């Protein structure tokens, strides 16, 4: 598959303090929210149901997750949940920096197997909205990186699935060599895209 990491981010949507831009693959959105700075520091309204719904993120988020990754080059993913517990995600970084990736797994999609990627950091404050039907993962670019994300369905182990992060058919440029990456044993055993079969 072609490397889609430089697909243009277009189609700006605005509502209240929220801006969202679409990628060249329908569904995911790169989100930014207004940051209020004064001599004390920074205040950010990280989620507002009204404004997020207005820019196209209307899910009822039911669970918040957070991870801390000790080392640079830690890969978490690529993960998804099958129906009836498929998850949309709203991902942000509270400390450090990641390359965040979403792979289209929607059957019949003209962009099936292709991906988008965006750098999220505590400094830039960007979020990535990943709709259901995509596999999601990230690689850390700074030590002790913290990632927080909302999901639209509770964790359901029986529906848990994933795709091998370094599958060459995905064409993802992670910025870390496989031998230098840190992954869980579970993620190292995930199938390649060609072995996955229909998921969504």
């Amino acid at each position: 598959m072609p490397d889609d990491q430089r697909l243009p981010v277009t189609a700006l949507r605005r509502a209240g303090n929220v801006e969202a831009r679409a990628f060249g693959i329908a569904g995911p959105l790169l989100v930014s929210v207004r940051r209020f700075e004064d001599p004390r520091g920074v205040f950010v309204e990280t989620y507002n149901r009204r404004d997020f719904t207005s820019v196209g993120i209307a899910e009822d988020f039911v669970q918040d997750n957070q991870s801390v990754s000790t080392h640079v080059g830690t890969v978490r993913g690529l993960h998804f949940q099958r129906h009836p517990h498929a998850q949309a995600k709203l991902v942000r970084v509270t400390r450090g920096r990641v390359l965040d990736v979403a792979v289209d797994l929607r059957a019949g999609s003209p962009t099936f197997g292709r991906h988008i990627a965006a750098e999220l950091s505590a400094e830039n404050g960007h979020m990535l909205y990943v709709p259901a039907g995509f596999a999601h993962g990230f690689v850390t670019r700074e030590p002790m990186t913290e990632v927080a994300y909302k999901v639209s369905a509770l964790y359901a182990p029986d529906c848990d699935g994933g795709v091998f992060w370094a599958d060459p058919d995905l064409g993802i440029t992670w910025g870390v060599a496989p031998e230098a990456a840190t992954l869980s044993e579970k993620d190292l055993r995930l199938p390649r895209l060609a072995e996955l079969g229909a998921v969504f």
Side-chain angles (χ1 to χ4, degrees):
M1 295 289 176
D3 185 346
D4 296 319
Q5 294 184 186
R6 301 197 181 278
L7 281 171
V9 181
T10 58
L12 177 65
R13 310 170 190 177
R14 288 192 181 96
N17 294 320
V18 180
E19 291 186 352
R21 292 182 182 271
F23 292 86
I25 293 176
L29 297 170
L30 185 66
V31 179
S32 60
V33 294
R34 186 178 176 189
R35 298 161 72 100
F36 298 89
E37 299 188 31
D38 65 23
R40 299 168 299 173
V42 178
F43 173 83
V44 181
E45 189 177 79
T46 58
Y47 180 74
N48 177 305
R49 182 189 294 271
R50 178 198 61 208
D51 292 347
F52 274 71
T53 298
S54 295
V55 299
I57 302 172
E59 277 80 7
D60 181 16
F61 292 109
V62 299
Q63 180 175 312
D64 283 6
N65 299 328
Q66 185 168 344
S67 68
V68 180
S69 299
T70 305
H71 304 293
V72 174
T74 296
V75 176
R76 296 178 184 261
L78 295 154
H79 303 147
F80 58 83
Q81 277 193 179
R82 297 175 176 84
H83 292 300
H85 300 289
Q87 292 179 326
K89 297 179 179 180
L90 182 62
V91 186
R92 65 190 181 99
V93 171
T94 56
R95 181 169 63 181
R97 188 164 53 104
V98 304
L99 180 72
D100 208 30
V101 177
V103 177
D104 189 355
L105 297 181
R106 298 169 295 184
S109 169
T111 53
F112 176 82
R114 294 171 65 186
H115 69 278
I116 59 91
E119 183 170 277
L120 311 182
S121 69
E123 182 178 359
N124 68 29
H126 293 162
M127 306 182 201
L128 186 65
Y129 166 66
V130 182
F134 285 74
H136 169 257
F138 61 83
V139 59
T140 58
R141 289 181 162 174
E142 292 184 10
M144 298 304 297
T145 289
E146 295 182 3
V147 175
Y149 56 101
K150 296 180 174 296
V151 294
S152 63
L154 299 176
Y155 176 58
D158 292 346
C159 297
D160 192 28
V163 184
F164 184 57
W165 74 289
D167 181 351
D169 287 344
L170 299 177
I172 301 170
T173 304
W174 290 95
V176 61
E179 61 273 14
T182 301
L183 290 94
S184 68
E185 288 298 321
K186 175 183 174 182
D187 286 352
L188 286 169
R189 295 193 300 268
L190 290 174
R192 297 190 176 203
L193 183 65
E195 302 166 339
L196 192 60
V199 177
F200 295 103

